[in-house]
Amino acid sequence: MKTYEQDLAWQSLADKALSGQCLTAEEGLAVLEADNDEVLPLLQAAFRVRKHFYGKKVKLNMIINAKSGLCPEDCGYCSQSIVSTAPVKKYTLLDKDTLLAGAREAMARKAGTYCIVAAGKGPTERELDQVVSAVKEIRDTMPLKICACLGILKDEQAERLAEAGVHRYNHNLNTSKANYPSITSTHTYDQRVETVEKVKLNGMSPCSGVIIGMGETNVEIVEMALALRELDADSIPINFLNAIPGTPLEHMGRTPAMKALKVLALFRFMCPSKEIRVAGGREVNLRTLQPLSLYAANSLFVGDYLTTAGQEITTDHQIIEDLGFEIELNAL
């Protein structure tokens, strides 16, 4: 296909997304299988959609690892899982003062959303009490949006978090339904979907995303995007596997930067009005092409992740400034 004709084809996907139509599976696959020479026009088409809904604003998020290394789950990608031998810190849920200090640090980093993350299958009642207490004080004293990620929720736990003032709850689908059993055996894909539905029923904003690079096919990546569109997640973190030594997936290579950019464009087309977050592994996988990710995505995590280091916060701020984009403060 001639370059001009291909450019029109990518722009037609943007037109389709902006009109509210869903891309077909075949169209989604064409995005992922595009020649690398097509990445810039592909991103330009994705940027049309991103700019329509979010302008040139970038939302920043900060994670605090509120409980580390004591997880009974066997997720193959995670250094905190029971099957991991990675040398990570192990501690029970952080006390309220430490969680409050993390919220203040989020504000210093210009993050509008503070994410309280705890490893585990789901929170105990004691852990939930601690999180609820901290959330209430943060809501009373700081202009932050709060996201919680505590695992699989019971109905009454979702209700309590919503009442405490949690704006958003994260529970990623992680991979395709078909690939799920090869990644985790201690819970199911359907349990994750059920938790996201509980979040929605209790009035919290649903956040659910994926981890790219865990042996899934391109067809399965398209299936993930379609599943998250159907789930109607408001925020979609796109993680790229950082293969940590000591985890079952330590042998997996990195996702090539150009492939990662195509994935971000795909999710923008499939979920046009949703917050697309460039999340864990971006530094390792996108490397020097990180700035280009913001032509499709509109949100970044700043600082460190759960057990791996992020890049300097000033570097992220500079990327946004150099693109001529703007940090959106205190936005969910």
Side-chain angles (χ1 to χ4, degrees):
M1 184 180 290
K2 295 179 181 179
T3 301
Y4 177 71
E5 292 173 338
Q6 185 63 72
D7 289 355
L8 289 179
W10 302 138
Q11 292 297 332
S12 72
L13 297 186
D15 292 337
K16 195 168 185 178
L18 288 168
S19 70
Q21 300 178 67
C22 183
L23 269 64
T24 65
E26 291 75 18
E27 289 169 330
L29 193 59
V31 171
L32 296 179
E33 295 180 348
D35 191 278
N36 285 345
D37 290 349
E38 295 297 320
V39 165
L40 287 181
L42 182 59
L43 286 177
Q44 176 57 33
F47 180 63
R48 273 186 59 212
V49 182
R50 181 242 203 266
K51 189 176 180 182
H52 175 82
F53 290 103
Y54 294 100
K56 293 184 175 182
K57 293 187 175 180
V58 180
K59 301 180 181 184
L60 301 183
N61 315 270
M62 191 196 95
I63 292 174
I64 187 167
N65 192 7
K67 175 187 172 186
S68 179
L70 299 169
C71 185
E73 301 285 274
D74 67 354
C75 304
Y77 53 83
C78 183
S79 59
Q80 301 181 80
S81 79
I82 196 168
V83 295
S84 168
T85 60
V88 300
K89 292 180 180 179
K90 294 179 172 62
Y91 52 83
T92 56
L93 194 73
L94 299 173
D95 60 32
K96 184 164 80 169
D97 287 344
T98 306
L99 294 176
L100 292 172
R104 289 190 288 271
E105 177 60 25
M107 292 184 63
R109 296 179 184 184
K110 301 182 181 180
T113 302
Y114 177 50
C115 307
I116 300 172
V117 183
K121 189 162 189 174
T124 66
E125 290 311 303
R126 181 175 176 273
E127 290 169 343
L128 197 71
D129 288 343
Q130 288 177 250
V131 172
V132 164
S133 178
V135 167
K136 286 180 177 178
E137 187 159 341
I138 294 168
R139 289 296 310 270
D140 288 342
T141 59
M142 298 176 224
L144 277 173
K145 304 291 185 183
I146 302 170
C147 177
C149 178
L150 311 174
I152 294 169
L153 292 179
K154 300 173 184 175
D155 291 331
E156 61 273 16
Q157 291 176 326
E159 184 178 351
R160 284 192 64 197
L161 289 170
E163 288 175 351
V166 171
H167 298 86
R168 168 181 288 165
Y169 194 87
N170 168 261
H171 204 51
N172 292 333
L173 296 186
N174 285 332
T175 192
S176 69
K177 187 167 186 176
N179 194 42
Y180 208 85
S182 70
I183 303 301
T184 308
S185 69
T186 45
H187 63 269
T188 67
Y189 178 94
D190 289 340
Q191 283 178 293
R192 286 187 170 264
V193 172
E194 288 164 9
T195 289
V196 177
E197 293 294 354
K198 285 177 186 175
V199 167
K200 292 159 66 175
L201 285 172
N202 282 277
M204 291 181 285
S205 175
C207 174
S208 189
V210 299
I211 305 173
I212 301 298
M214 299 198 296
E216 72 285 342
T217 65
N218 283 343
V219 169
E220 287 175 312
I221 295 174
V222 174
E223 289 171 358
M224 293 181 224
L226 288 167
L228 287 166
R229 179 186 174 98
E230 184 178 349
L231 196 58
D232 200 25
D234 292 334
S235 174
I236 302 174
I238 309 296
N239 300 277
F240 298 97
L241 181 68
N242 184 351
I244 299 172
T247 62
L249 296 184
E250 66 179 353
H251 62 283
M252 303 296 288
R254 53 178 287 274
T255 298
M258 298 294 265
K259 170 70 174 292
L261 292 171
K262 295 172 197 174
V263 169
L264 291 167
L266 168 70
F267 276 83
R268 175 55 68 201
F269 290 137
M270 285 290 195
C271 306
S273 66
K274 304 303 186 179
E275 179 179 336
I276 305 297
R277 290 165 138 178
V278 192
R282 67 178 166 95
E283 297 88 349
V284 173
N285 292 272
L286 282 159
R287 299 199 297 205
T288 60
L289 298 190
Q290 287 182 72
L292 291 178
S293 68
L294 290 176
Y295 283 97
N298 66 294
S299 183
L300 288 176
F301 284 93
V302 290
D304 295 339
Y305 301 96
L306 295 177
T307 63
T308 57
Q311 65 189 16
E312 288 292 326
I313 298 148
T314 53
T315 301
D316 289 327
H317 291 174
Q318 288 167 358
I319 286 173
I320 294 166
E321 179 183 347
D322 292 345
L323 286 169
F325 289 6
E326 175 188 356
I327 296 171
E328 182 175 334
L329 296 176
N330 305 322
L332 182 60

